[in-house]
């Protein structure tokens, strides 16, 4: 593990001003330009290019140019073969030399590859442990639910740390006995899995007493956060990571901050009214596969109020999900983004309680599945959505409300999905 990064994350003083953050980033980039970019055939000719003038990147373009962008001389087709073989066999030790190869967990259907060198793996572990290890004097048992294991995550193991990987593809129920015998002190899982585990705990099928619960890799709604915190009697921390870099995590005051001490994150604002933006990242810790001027399709909602923790790193009110997942309703001045969180809040505030639901937008039509005890909530929901539309000055899409839940095809159990925009 990278001791400096561990100590800096755990005990280091947080940057108190924008100027301090910019100075940190400038230093890191100067090094990146002179040491890393010359090793990338793609970036070699860009060592003197201004950051924002670097070629615009997104997942498809990165994959197209993978072989020339990476600094390890790894061919894309070979990397895909190695990663796919690992997925098929569920034996996750795919390495090309010292470099671990992983398949990224995009829900957009497009596969992405990522690479990690031993140094990058140590840094990832150092940031995670520096921030989240509950107590340095006690050995910890970590349960980590992931879609696929990867050498990246195994870098966490050491004598003070027992680290068990739970394969997400096997479903939550299958893991309950192993989880009970591990009795994890730290529980790390995607939001949907944490919610399912919280239900199992409430139903008496589990009796875990973790000291830390960390939601990772997807949107955690406030209603789910509360349910999970209640079930495990423990506050829920959040780590937002994309292409396996740590982009944001909760501070000691419980608020999400962008990880700007390690990477520069620009805003591509998509909804000026809420300030919602897609992050454009310049990651100066990723040396194997440089991510520069790289736009993610996640939507983040900024929170400009200063945080009691004192960090000047941008505060994030919440992660809205993928750009493709935000609802858009038509209005007099064009389509407006309706944050998924708004819909969740409307449903959570219904007087007639709803156990669970799914919302799917297809063009100008919403299909809502409701699992409820009393059918009156349908009428109430229609009224609440109409009020929301009026408040946002948009037209409510046509609605069909159905009882029960649809056949689940989404392993991440997303409650709100957009198939197409109006
Ligand atoms: Zn804070």
């Amino acid at each position: 593990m990278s001791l400096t990064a561990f100590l800096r994350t755990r005990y280091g003083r947080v940057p108190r001003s924008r100027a301090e953050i910019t100075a940190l980033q400038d230093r890191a980039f100067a090094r990146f330009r002179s040491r890393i970019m010359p090793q990338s055939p793609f970036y070699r000719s860009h060592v003197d290019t201004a950051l924002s003038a670097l070629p615009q990147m997104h997942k498809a373009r990165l994959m197209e140019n993978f072989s020339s962008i990476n600094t390890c001389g790894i061919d894309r087709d070979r990397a895909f073969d190695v990663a796919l073989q690992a997925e098929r066999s569920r034996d996750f030790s795919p390495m090309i030399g010292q470099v671990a190869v992983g398949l990224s967990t995009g829900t957009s259907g497009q596969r992405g590859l990522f690479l990690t060198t031993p140094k990058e793996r140590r840094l990832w572990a150092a940031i995670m442990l520096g921030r989240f290890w509950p107590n340095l004097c006690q050995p910890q048992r970590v349960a980590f639910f992931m879609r696929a294991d990867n050498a990246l995550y195994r870098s966490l193991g050491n004598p003070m740390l027992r680290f068990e990987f739970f394969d997400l593809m096997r479903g939550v129920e299958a893991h309950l006995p192993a989880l009970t015998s591990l009795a994890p002190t730290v529980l790390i899982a995607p939001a949907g899995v944490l919610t399912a585990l919280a239900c199992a705990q409430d139903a008496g099928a589990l009796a875990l007493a973790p000291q830390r619960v960390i939601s990772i890799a997807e949107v955690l709604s406030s209603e789910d956060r509360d349910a999970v915190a209640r079930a495990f009697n423990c506050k829920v921390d959040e780590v937002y990571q994309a292409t396996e870099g740590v982009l944001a995590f909760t501070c000691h005051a419980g608020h999400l901050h962008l990880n700007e001490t390690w990477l520069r994150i620009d805003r591509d604002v998509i909804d000026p009214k809420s300030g919602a933006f897609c992050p454009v990242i310049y990651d100066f810790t990723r040396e194997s596969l440089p991510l520069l001027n790289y736009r993610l399709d996640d939507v983040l909602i900024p929170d400009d109020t200063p945080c009691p923790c004192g960090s000047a790193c941008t505060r994030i009110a919440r992660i809205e999900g993928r750009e493709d997942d935000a609802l858009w309703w038509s209005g007099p001045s064009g389509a407006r983004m309706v944050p998924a969180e708004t819909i969740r809040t409307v449903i959570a505030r219904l007087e007639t309680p709803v156990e669970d639901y799914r919302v799917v937008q297809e063009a100008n039509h919403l299909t809502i599945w409701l699992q409820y005890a009393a059918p009156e909530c349908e009428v109430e929901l229609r009224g609440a959505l109409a009020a929301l539309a009026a408040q946002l000055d948009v037209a409510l899409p046509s609605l069909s409300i159905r009882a029960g839940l649809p056949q689940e095809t989404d392993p991440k159990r997303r409650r709100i999905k957009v198939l197409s925009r109006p």
Side-chain angles (χ1 to χ4, degrees):
M1 188 168 69
S2 162
L3 189 61
T4 331
F6 174 80
L7 295 173
R8 186 162 140 198
T9 311
R10 192 162 187 94
Y11 305 109
R13 115 184 220 292
V14 292
R16 304 272 164 179
S17 69
R18 248 314 106 183
E20 207 178 314
I21 292 172
T22 311
L24 269 172
Q25 295 180 347
D26 287 349
R27 273 202 303 281
F29 267 119
R31 186 189 149 274
F32 201 84
R33 281 184 192 288
S34 65
R35 307 255 294 269
I36 309 301
M37 285 170 77
Q39 297 174 44
S40 159
F42 185 94
Y43 284 113
R44 197 168 287 157
S45 57
H46 288 294
V47 285
D48 295 318
T49 308
L51 283 180
S52 53
L54 288 170
Q56 291 186 343
M57 274 295 152
H58 49 75
K59 193 170 186 181
R61 191 152 188 222
L62 181 73
M63 285 305 113
E64 253 166 57
N65 296 283
F66 180 90
S67 305
S68 65
I69 290 177
N70 82 79
T71 59
C72 312
I74 290 176
D75 175 66
R76 181 189 54 191
D77 296 343
R78 167 127 194 271
F80 260 124
D81 282 349
V82 170
L84 285 173
Q85 179 55 37
E87 288 275 333
R88 274 195 292 267
S89 63
R90 313 302 293 161
D91 166 22
F92 295 103
S93 43
M95 305 277 280
I96 299 178
Q98 289 266 293
V99 182
V101 183
L103 222 42
S104 70
T105 57
T107 46
S108 52
Q110 198 197 10
R111 289 183 309 197
L113 279 171
F114 67 92
L115 300 175
T116 49
T117 61
K119 186 178 164 195
E120 288 165 336
R121 297 196 286 275
R122 287 195 299 271
L123 178 66
W124 184 89
I127 296 177
M128 288 292 286
L129 293 178
R131 172 62 188 88
F132 293 115
W133 194 318
N135 181 338
L136 284 181
C137 305
Q138 282 170 6
Q140 302 294 330
R141 297 177 301 278
V142 181
F144 195 172
F145 282 78
M146 282 302 283
R147 193 184 64 89
D149 190 9
N150 182 278
L152 170 64
Y153 305 117
R154 270 194 248 113
S155 58
L156 282 165
N158 71 40
M160 286 294 282
L161 191 65
R162 178 161 161 214
F163 178 72
E164 294 279 332
F165 158 70
F166 294 84
D167 189 348
L168 215 50
M169 301 307 274
R170 286 188 55 213
V172 168
E173 293 72 18
H175 292 303
L176 298 185
L179 204 53
T180 298
S181 71
L182 177 67
T185 54
V186 179
L187 179 59
I188 308 177
V193 173
L194 286 180
T195 314
L197 292 174
C199 287
Q201 178 103 347
D202 286 338
L206 272 178
L208 305 181
Q211 295 169 32
R212 284 226 189 262
V213 174
I214 302 167
S215 165
I216 202 163
E218 67 186 56
V219 180
L220 176 71
S221 67
S222 46
E223 55 187 309
D224 284 345
R225 181 191 298 118
D226 296 345
V228 172
R230 261 198 316 274
F232 296 113
N233 190 26
C234 176
K235 91 180 164 58
V236 181
D237 278 300
E238 234 179 308
V239 172
Y240 163 49
Q241 50 175 33
T243 63
E244 314 312 318
V246 179
L247 259 63
F249 50 87
T250 39
C251 67
H252 295 280
H255 301 296
L256 264 177
H257 290 267
L258 293 180
N259 186 14
E260 290 177 292
T261 40
W262 298 100
L263 52 160
R264 168 169 153 170
I265 303 171
D266 290 348
R267 304 183 195 191
D268 181 6
V269 175
I270 60 164
D271 185 35
K273 278 197 180 149
S274 61
F277 69 94
C278 291
V280 179
I281 63 175
Y282 302 80
D283 189 339
F284 38 78
T285 65
R286 302 296 292 279
E287 303 181 352
S288 53
L289 185 65
L291 295 175
L292 298 169
N293 204 359
Y294 183 86
R295 185 184 186 279
L296 294 161
D297 62 1
D298 293 332
V299 179
L300 311 188
I301 312 290
D303 180 348
D304 292 324
T305 39
C307 186
C309 77
S311 169
C313 291
T314 301
R315 244 178 96 173
I316 296 298
R318 60 183 182 273
I319 297 151
E320 200 55 77
R322 290 177 182 272
E323 200 176 3
D324 297 345
D325 292 347
L327 302 177
W328 291 82
W329 293 358
S330 306
S333 49
R336 264 211 73 183
M337 190 178 82
V338 181
E341 182 68 15
T342 320
I343 305 289
R344 290 186 202 111
T345 309
V346 163
I347 294 178
R349 287 185 184 161
L350 293 177
E351 301 227 343
T352 19
V354 171
E355 279 172 41
D356 207 352
Y357 60 89
R358 298 291 182 273
V359 177
V360 178
Q361 177 172 16
E362 200 166 1
N364 231 336
H365 186 80
L366 280 186
T367 309
I368 302 179
W369 281 266
L370 290 176
Q371 199 169 51
Y372 51 69
E376 296 85 73
C377 69
E378 276 196 35
V379 180
E380 204 194 337
L381 178 60
R382 280 180 192 274
L385 289 174
L388 172 67
Q391 188 194 331
L392 294 171
D393 193 23
V394 288
L396 181 64
S398 58
L399 272 182
S400 26
I401 300 186
R402 301 188 185 164
L405 294 179
Q407 193 81 25
E408 197 70 75
T409 50
D410 181 1
K412 292 190 166 182
R413 300 165 191 244
R414 279 180 302 171
R415 293 205 176 98
I416 298 178
K417 264 186 276 197
V418 178
L419 300 178
S420 60
R421 286 192 195 177

